Every structure is written in C-alpha cells, then in structure tokens.
Amino acid sequence: MTPREYLKSLMTPGHYIAALILAVGIPVTYQRFTGGIGAISNLTDANPWGIWIGIDVLCGVALAAGGFIIGSIYHIFGMHEYKPLVRPAILTGFLGYALVVFGLMFDLGRPWRLPYPMVWSFGTSSVMFEVGWCVALYLFCQFIEFWPPLFEWIGAKRARAFAVKLTLGATVMAVVLSTLHQSSLGALFLIMPSKLHPLWYSMYLPVFFLISAVSGGIGMIIFEATMSHRYFKMQTGHLSHRELDKLILGLAKGGALVLYLYFWLKIIGVAHEHQWALIATGWGAWWLVEVVGFILLPAFMFLFAVRRLSPTLARIAAVWTVLGLILNRVNVSIIALNWYAEERYIPHWKEITVTLMIITIGVLVFKFIVNRMPILLQHPDYAGDSH
C-alpha cells in the first residue's frame, strides 16, 4: 500500500471523529499543564475529585480487569478453548492501565513526580502508596504477558521463547497484584465515613470494588470480543460466529454468578450498617437503580442468556454490566461523595474533552497494534503453539 493509499484508507467517519476530539483535546492538554488545573476544570477544595478520578482512574482500572481474568482462565485454569480471547483482552488491559497512568497526570499535574513513591518519598501509611506500587507492578506484568505477540511481530524468536516461559509467572503475579489494588481503591473510601453517603459507605467497600471489577472485566471481555469480531473481520475469520457465541455463553455463566454474589453482598452491606430506613428516601431510590437495575438485572440477563442459548442477550447483559460498574464508580467518587454539600460538582466541558481524548487514544492505539501484530490472528510461524 502506497502512502497515498494508506492516507486514503484513514478517511473514515470514525477517524474524522477521532481527529476532531484530538484537535480539541491537545490544546486543552497544553492549557492544563501551562495554566494549572483550575484553567480547565471545575474542581475545588470542596470537590477535589471529578471525572478524571471517577471515570479515568476508578473505571479505567476496573474495566481493565479483563486482562487478569482471561489470563487466569487460560494460563492458570487451563481452559484453552478461550485462547482466541486471551491476547485481545490482555492488550485491552495493558492499554487500560497505561491510560489510567496517563489520565492520572492530568489530575496530579506534575508527571515527573509520578515515580516519587517508588524511589524518593515512601508514604507507607497511605493506601495510595500500596495502590501506586501495585498498579506499576501490574502494568509491568501485563507488559510481560504482551511480549509474545510483540516479539513475534519483530521476528525475535529467542526473545519470544523466553517471554513465553515468563507468562505463567506474570499471570500469577498479575492476579495477586490486581486483587490487592482493586480492593485497595475501595479501601481508600473507608477514611471518608462522614463524606460518603451511608448507602454507599460500608466496611465491605474493598470487597465491593474487587468483585465489581471482576464482573465489569467479564463484561468488557465480551464487549471487546464482539467489537473485534465485527470490525476486524479479516483477522477473525478463523473463529466462526458459532464458536465465539459458545465462548461468550461460557463467560456469561461466570458473569451471572459474580453479579448475583455482588448483589447479595451489597444487601449485606446495608444490613450491617443498619441503613434500611434510608432506602425509602430519594437517595435510596437512586441506590436501588444501581443495585437492582445494574447488578441484579444483568445477573438475570446473563442467566437467561445461558438457559436460552442466546449470545445476543449475553452481549446486552455485558454492556449493561459495564454501564453499571461505571455508574457505581461515579456514585462513590462523585455523586454520593459530599452528598450533603451545597456546592455540587459539575464537570467542565474541558474535563470531558480530556476524558474523551484519553478514550480515543486508547481505541486508536488498540487498532494500530491489532492491525500490525498477531493479536487476533496467530502468527504462521507459531501455528499450533499454545501461546
């Protein structure tokens, strides 16, 4: 393909939208790092956390959990029929965590200080110290799991063989680290009993964050696999619709189980805190929307999808689960936080632009890698290889 043909191939509606978002987002980024956080956000001392923490960090970390989930299913539990979903899910998880770090820079404002907790200032009494270390190490583990397709792409056979030997160890470490930092992000809110609404505050917040990340990760695996099968048809021809549907229904069983367990843990959380009376309030109605509408409902949708062998219903349940996870993180970090304050936080349009720009960069990088590396297709030199 000549350069002219390549540029012509980029002229699609999706790329036009991406270019427009980047055209607005890049100047906003420059304004953020030259004019300060107040220049592009509505964050204040009363509302120091906005959508950059609620969506870019909390949702980003949780939705990227698909990497360690599918890695565990394939490498640890030996369910090799899920091999077609492993590399795309690990790539999604790796990019998701990388973009969480990138997005965190907008909130912190001094990117060069990001390594400080690792090498200079050890805040061992802070939950964020543990989260920072775990996320950094987990990102490295995901990078190791990404090495095999990377080395296959550049033709480094010895390096690829060495990377394959590291994969199982990296997967085990990824599971341990992910368990730690997913729950620690929930533990971060344990120090805010007076700020977080009682219906969302619970001593089980670390467990809530961990199990909801597992359900959201399953939802993201199904969503990502469906989108890849639809938009990268040239590379997914080896996997028939029937085979993909079978894998999705298998994941739906896990999704139903995890969501059902998550629902009852939420109920136990309210019972433990003796907050039943708050269910009858306006905040209680909003809590029921989240718990019944976005936890219990998709659990039954997954269940019916399995019983009726309906992959379409499983796909809808997966999207519904992802939306429910986003709603939960936004509720905990923004809506139900400082719920009694007169001054409410409404994101500035430039904050939304930054978030859209980060998501756009993630999609473009995913597409760039998938179109070049053996992510969806198996490299012909390694046909039949289990990795």
Side-chain angles (χ1 to χ4, degrees):
M1 183 182 291
T2 64
R4 185 175 182 179
E5 290 172 336
Y6 178 70
L7 289 175
K8 190 175 181 181
S9 70
L10 296 179
M11 295 179 182
T12 63
H15 285 122
Y16 288 144
I17 295 172
L20 177 62
I21 293 173
L22 294 177
V24 178
I26 291 173
V28 170
T29 300
Y30 176 79
Q31 191 179 4
R32 162 65 185 95
F33 290 102
T34 56
I37 198 169
I40 68 166
S41 76
N42 284 336
L43 299 175
T44 63
D45 289 339
N47 295 294
W49 285 0
I51 60 171
W52 293 341
I53 295 296
I55 295 179
D56 300 5
V57 175
L58 296 183
C59 292
V61 168
L63 294 176
F68 91 83
I69 293 170
I70 200 71
S72 305
I73 290 173
Y74 182 76
H75 292 295
I76 298 178
F77 297 110
M79 303 171 73
H80 291 168
E81 64 270 26
Y82 287 93
K83 181 182 177 182
L85 308 184
V86 174
R87 287 188 175 183
I90 288 176
L91 174 61
T92 304
F94 173 63
L95 292 179
Y97 272 81
L99 291 173
V100 164
V101 176
F102 179 61
L104 196 59
M105 294 179 186
F106 285 86
D107 200 73
L108 298 178
R110 297 181 179 180
W112 57 90
R113 289 199 170 190
L114 211 56
Y116 267 37
M118 318 295 171
V119 297
W120 186 258
S121 179
F122 301 105
T124 52
S125 60
S126 170
V127 173
M128 290 307 295
F129 174 75
E130 186 265 341
V131 172
W133 264 98
C134 281
V135 169
L137 293 173
Y138 180 79
L139 188 60
F140 184 63
C141 288
Q142 291 267 278
F143 187 47
I144 292 176
E145 293 181 72
F146 178 64
W147 279 354
L150 177 63
F151 290 139
E152 288 173 16
W153 182 51
I154 61 177
K157 293 187 175 181
R158 289 187 176 181
R160 193 260 184 194
F162 177 70
V164 167
K165 294 178 182 177
L166 297 178
T167 302
L168 179 59
T171 303
V172 173
M173 281 301 299
V175 172
V176 173
L177 292 167
S178 194
T179 302
L180 287 172
H181 71 255
Q182 295 284 1
S183 57
S184 294
L185 283 172
L188 183 64
F189 292 89
L190 291 179
I191 62 175
M192 309 176 190
S194 61
K195 291 188 175 181
L196 187 58
H197 191 277
L199 284 174
W200 279 269
Y201 182 85
S202 168
M203 64 176 291
Y204 299 117
L205 270 170
V207 181
F208 292 165
F209 266 57
L210 175 60
I211 196 167
S212 60
V214 174
S215 64
I218 291 173
M220 272 303 292
I221 295 171
I222 296 175
F223 176 73
E224 181 273 324
T226 302
M227 291 294 104
S228 294
H229 208 257
R230 180 181 180 88
Y231 292 105
F232 297 98
K233 292 179 180 176
M234 294 292 290
Q235 302 185 45
T236 57
H238 61 287
L239 182 66
S240 68
H241 287 291
R242 178 175 295 182
E243 290 170 326
L244 178 62
D245 290 346
K246 185 178 178 182
L247 297 179
I248 286 176
L249 289 176
L251 290 170
K253 294 177 186 175
L257 179 65
V258 174
L259 282 169
Y260 193 64
L261 178 62
Y262 180 35
F263 170 78
W264 283 108
L265 284 174
K266 292 284 282 187
I267 297 299
I268 292 172
V270 172
H272 186 269
E273 303 292 335
H274 303 290
Q275 302 295 354
W276 290 114
L278 293 176
I279 299 292
T281 66
W283 282 100
W286 184 237
W287 184 84
L288 287 172
V289 168
E290 177 190 322
V291 173
V292 177
F294 289 89
I295 299 176
L296 188 61
L297 179 60
F300 278 106
M301 290 168 71
F302 274 133
L303 185 63
F304 283 123
V306 173
R307 284 186 59 83
R308 298 182 179 180
L309 299 178
S310 172
T312 301
L313 184 57
R315 290 182 172 96
I316 295 172
V319 173
W320 209 248
T321 302
V322 169
L323 293 176
L325 184 137
I326 295 172
L327 177 62
N328 171 259
R329 296 304 191 263
V330 170
N331 275 338
V332 172
S333 64
I334 299 175
I335 296 175
L337 194 65
N338 289 327
W339 56 282
Y340 49 80
E342 294 182 1
E343 177 187 337
R344 298 298 297 173
Y345 164 76
I346 299 176
H348 195 284
W349 70 267
K350 292 180 180 178
E351 292 177 70
I352 299 172
T353 299
V354 168
T355 297
L356 290 176
M357 181 184 69
I358 292 172
I359 295 171
T360 301
I361 290 172
V363 173
L364 292 177
V365 173
F366 181 87
K367 183 181 177 186
F368 179 86
I369 293 175
V370 166
N371 279 333
R372 286 158 181 80
M373 299 185 191
I375 302 297
L376 299 173
L377 270 177
Q378 186 163 33
H379 195 289
D381 291 349
Y382 304 95
D385 192 295
S386 60
H387 285 82

